[in-house]
Amino acid sequence: METVQDRMEAGDILVIDGGMGTELERRGVPMDAQSWAGSALKNHPDMIRTIHRDFIDAGADILIANTYAAAPHVLCHAGISESEALALNRLACDLVREAVAEAAPDRRIWIAGSLSSFFAGLSTDGWPSKDEAARSYALQAETLAAAGCDLLITEMMLDTTVSPLAVRAATATGLPVWVGFSVRTANGRIVGLNGRDDIAFERIRDDCLGAGDVHAAGIMHSEMSDTPPGLDLLKEAWSGPLFAYPHSGSFRMPNWQFDDEIEPDAFAREAATYLDRGVIAIGGCCGMSQHHIAALAQRLGRGLGS
């Protein structure tokens, strides 16, 4: 069976989906004060399946399961036990699989499980210890692998403490692992998106890339203006496949702020320029709807649902 790595090595440009959490919010699903979109797995699974279908119809080749904020160390703060958290991670993968079966049974679409640096409430009270994070990520990664994911994406790698633990847990499964870094500009230099410290991106990059066998690396959960310089710094230490997954808007826990949201056609034009930097997989994170992904797919000559 063709793998996502086969497609990338063949030089094909792959389309990743858009932002699940912000689509849930846009469609009226309440965001949890501790686990943001993670708890929606428990209360709104049908809406999650519908959004996956919409991204399939828009032309996405890779769908990311709604596990970004569903690690056990996050969901426990929302009153969800470890065993239920792992069951919800399995459900997240099932929802993607069901959406593919319903919307595109004859297309090859890959399912990505997500591990992230997200922590409960985005407050210091929700920051896990290294031991807690390592155990939680290991359990989540093993669950996602057993649930049939084709690859794992470590999202929003933005520090040198917890982020490498997520990469290590993901690579231990033996699945292909894509590492997604999140960056911002501070005092004229590119640093991790982490708001507590201005950690040089190069440090985060090197720690995460050195944490295991990585198959692709990219810039995600970052402003479109910060994505190109982030990609340039990433390429200084990484010669493998590149991907990009920028966001649009801003976040005030627990809600995304749809302020100054980029229009779909403008997003597609800008995202297509990332190809000149060697990017071979592109999608859109928070704030990016199925309309943004459809515009991107058309811009790349893919057309809707192709």
Side-chain angles (χ1 to χ4, degrees):
M1 181 179 292
E2 184 184 41
T3 68
V4 69
Q5 296 303 119
D6 291 335
R7 286 282 296 275
M8 295 179 82
E9 289 171 5
D12 292 340
I13 305 301
L14 297 173
V15 176
I16 315 173
D17 62 9
M20 171 59 72
T22 52
E23 272 308 288
L24 286 166
E25 181 181 337
R26 205 192 307 262
R27 300 180 194 205
V29 174
M31 298 290 99
D32 187 85
Q34 295 298 321
S35 64
W36 189 47
S39 295
L41 286 162
K42 185 174 182 178
N43 302 315
H44 298 276
D46 291 343
M47 183 62 77
I48 294 171
R49 186 191 302 108
T50 296
I51 293 170
H52 284 313
R53 286 195 55 160
D54 288 344
F55 285 133
I56 292 170
D57 291 342
D61 300 300
I62 298 171
L63 299 177
I64 304 176
N66 184 41
T67 59
Y68 169 84
H73 70 269
V74 174
L75 290 182
C76 70
H77 289 267
I80 296 173
S81 69
E82 182 179 279
S83 61
E84 186 179 7
L86 298 178
L88 290 175
N89 276 263
R90 290 190 291 271
L91 173 61
C93 300
D94 290 341
L95 293 172
V96 183
R97 195 173 295 106
E98 291 165 8
V100 173
E102 293 170 2
D106 298 324
R107 277 179 60 199
R108 184 67 173 105
I109 295 174
W110 291 274
I111 301 173
S114 169
L115 293 81
S116 82
S117 63
F118 184 91
F119 57 97
L122 297 185
S123 69
T124 54
D125 291 340
W127 184 252
S129 69
K130 290 184 69 172
D131 287 345
E132 180 187 9
R135 169 183 162 78
S136 179
Y137 286 137
L139 290 171
Q140 185 181 30
E142 291 163 4
T143 298
L144 293 173
C149 288
D150 297 296
L151 67 150
L152 298 179
I153 299 181
T154 59
E155 300 195 51
M156 199 175 270
M157 301 293 95
L158 46 65
D159 71 327
T160 57
T161 303
V162 169
S163 294
L165 299 177
V167 177
R168 189 168 297 118
T171 58
T173 66
L175 286 177
V177 172
W178 293 17
V179 177
F181 297 96
S182 296
V183 300
R184 60 186 172 88
T185 300
N187 299 317
R189 63 190 184 119
I190 297 296
V191 301
L193 193 64
N194 178 3
R196 298 183 306 278
D197 302 292
D198 290 347
I199 305 174
F201 172 63
E202 293 90 336
R203 288 181 55 203
I204 301 167
R205 175 198 67 194
D206 294 347
D207 280 6
C208 288
L209 292 178
D213 185 14
V214 175
H215 291 73
I219 303 298
M220 61 194 312
H221 296 275
S222 305
E223 294 287 351
M224 296 201 72
S225 59
D226 291 326
T227 297
L231 287 168
D232 291 342
L233 285 177
L234 179 55
K235 289 171 62 177
E236 291 180 2
W238 173 254
S239 60
L242 287 167
F243 68 97
Y245 197 73
H247 68 218
S248 180
S250 59
F251 192 56
R252 289 197 296 272
M253 187 68 185
N255 296 114
W256 190 257
Q257 310 299 308
F258 297 95
D259 48 5
D260 298 324
E261 183 182 15
I262 191 170
E263 292 297 320
D265 287 343
F267 160 71
R269 287 194 301 272
E270 176 67 19
T273 67
Y274 301 158
L275 300 179
D276 294 336
R277 285 178 158 81
V279 167
I280 57 176
I282 311 175
C285 190
C286 296
M288 305 299 189
S289 69
Q290 73 271 26
H291 305 297
H292 292 83
I293 302 308
L296 173 65
Q298 291 180 309
R299 185 80 181 185
L300 298 176
R302 302 288 301 282
L304 291 176
S306 64

